[in-house]
Structures are given as C-alpha cells and as structure tokens.
C-alpha cells in the first residue's frame, strides 16, 4: 500500500535536503537513490548483484523496490559508484550514513574505511585516502540478527503481532558525502 507521496516518489530525487540544517556545506552531495543490492549467505563480496534498491528505504519497505526481509545469518550488500568533484587542497572527504540497522561495514574502492554497530545513530568516516582518480565505489555490508541477537531492536520481531512490528534492516536514513577543511565544526551543542 502506497500513499500519494509514495506513488509520486522520484528515484532520482529522494530526500535531497541536507540532513543537518545547522551545518549545511556547499560541498554536500546527496547519495540517496538507486544502489545495487545483493543478499548473500556468506560475508564474501558478491560477484553478481540481485538488482536495485532505493536508498534510504530498508529492503523490507515497499518504497525500496526490494520487498525482501533480511534473515538472521544473511548479509545485505549495497554498492554505488560515483564520480567525484575535485577535493580542494587541505580538505578531506567524509561519507555520512544517517542510520543503518544493525551492523554495517563500509568499503570504498575495496578499502575498509569504517564499521558501525547500532541501528539508530548516524555515523561518518574519512574516505579521502580511498578516492582514486576522482572515482569511488562504495560498498556497505550489513548484518541484522533482529530478535535473534543481543542488540537493541525496538519493537521489531521476526514473528509480528500484538505490539511487535516486522524487522527493518539496512540503510534507512540519508547517505551523503561532503568535503571539509582539516579543521571544521563537527557538531553543535546549543543551550
């Protein structure tokens, strides 16, 4: 079941606004949109991809275009290739993922760059050293044991019913890159 807004969703223009309005940077590039996806039984990077997923919607969500639930013991893979603008001298390139449920391992151009555990918090990593000739392939490997693991899962459970919802896994918040100077404001605490 889709809402009017879901039916009108343009895959080339998904949630384009900057996720942190207090820290907007001109170098911001939104990476929401169609990514390659694969679900595997091993942690070996897939040679073949199953199709496309619309990020930032989890594969279980109708808007993702996938409609499959990640099972315990399976690996969910995302891949996106992009051409980057030149990174200004003295700047670094950061990759941000707004949220990814539950355990994410990120590779850029085959190089491990970061890992995050926890499905509800944003995370970012410096990917400057992984950029090659202005091109970048981002690969994210995700596992989510849902109610079969020990991590916080909210009200998600494999067998829905009562107060329990179906599990959601993978990237479910915006993904973006931005160039920042060596010294930059990372966050604000306002009182």
């Amino acid at each position: 079941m889709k809402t009017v807004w879901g039916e009108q969703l343009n895959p080339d223009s998904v949630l384009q606004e900057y996720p942190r309005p207090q820290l907007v940077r001109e170098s911001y590039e939104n990476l929401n949109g169609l990514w390659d996806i694969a679900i595997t039984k091993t942690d070996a990077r897939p040679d073949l991809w199953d199709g496309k997923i619309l990020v930032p919607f989890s594969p279980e969500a109708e808007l993702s275009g996938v409609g499959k639930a990640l099972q315990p013991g399976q690996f969910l893979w995302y891949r996106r290739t992009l051409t980057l603008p030149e990174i200004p001298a003295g700047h670094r390139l950061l990759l941000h993922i707004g949220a990814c449920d539950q355990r994410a391992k990120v590779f850029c151009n085959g190089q491990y760059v970061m890992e995050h555990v926890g499905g509800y918090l944003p995370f970012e990593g410096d990917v400057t050293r992984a950029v090659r000739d202005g091109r970048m392939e981002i690969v994210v490997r995700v596992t989510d044991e849902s109610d079969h693991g020990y991590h916080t899962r909210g009200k998600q459970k494999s067998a829905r019913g009562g107060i329990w919802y179906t599990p959601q896994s993978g990237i479910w918040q915006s993904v973006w890159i931005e160039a920042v100077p060596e010294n930059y404001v990372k966050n604000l605490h306002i009182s």
Side-chain angles (χ1 to χ4, degrees), residues 79-117:
R79 179 179 67 178
R80 168 101 187 247
T81 303
L82 56 142
T83 302
L84 301 168
E86 186 174 333
I87 301 169
H91 282 64
R92 297 178 294 152
L93 186 66
L94 301 180
L95 171 65
H96 298 267
I97 299 179
C100 185
D101 198 357
Q102 173 77 41
R103 179 182 296 268
K105 197 168 195 177
V106 182
F107 303 86
C108 291
N109 289 334
Q111 180 180 340
Y112 167 80
V113 291
M114 65 179 147
E115 189 167 353
H116 180 78
V117 178

Side-chain angles (χ1 to χ4, degrees), residues 13-156:
S13 182
V14 180
L15 298 174
Q16 293 296 302
E17 67 278 355
Y18 190 84
R20 300 178 310 175
Q22 298 87 355
L23 296 173
V24 174
R25 296 187 174 98
E26 288 184 24
S27 63
Y28 166 73
E29 184 175 340
N30 187 297
L31 300 181
N32 291 340
L34 293 172
W35 290 50
D36 295 322
I37 185 176
I39 297 176
T40 65
K41 293 181 180 180
T42 71
D43 66 351
R45 180 186 160 140
D47 294 324
L48 299 173
W49 296 84
D50 300 334
K52 299 285 186 184
I53 184 168
L54 187 57
V55 169
F57 303 108
S58 67
E60 295 87 356
E62 185 175 351
L63 290 178
S64 74
V66 176
K68 291 182 185 175
L70 184 66
Q71 300 299 314
Q74 289 183 326
F75 296 84
L76 172 61
W77 295 85
Y78 293 84
R79 179 179 67 178
R80 168 101 187 247
T81 303
L82 56 142
T83 302
L84 301 168
E86 186 174 333
I87 301 169
H91 282 64
R92 297 178 294 152
L93 186 66
L94 301 180
L95 171 65
H96 298 267
I97 299 179
C100 185
D101 198 357
Q102 173 77 41
R103 179 182 296 268
K105 197 168 195 177
V106 182
F107 303 86
C108 291
N109 289 334
Q111 180 180 340
Y112 167 80
V113 291
M114 65 179 147
E115 189 167 353
H116 180 78
V117 178
Y120 304 102
L121 295 175
F123 59 102
E124 78 274 335
D126 185 340
V127 297
T128 310
R129 292 184 182 173
V131 176
R132 292 196 181 95
D133 300 321
R135 295 194 47 80
M136 178 171 290
E137 177 195 54
I138 302 167
V139 174
V140 181
R141 185 186 79 193
V142 179
T143 57
D144 185 359
E145 299 298 318
S146 189
D147 57 335
H148 298 281
Y150 60 90
H151 297 292
T152 303
R153 66 179 186 276
K155 293 171 69 174
Q156 300 179 43

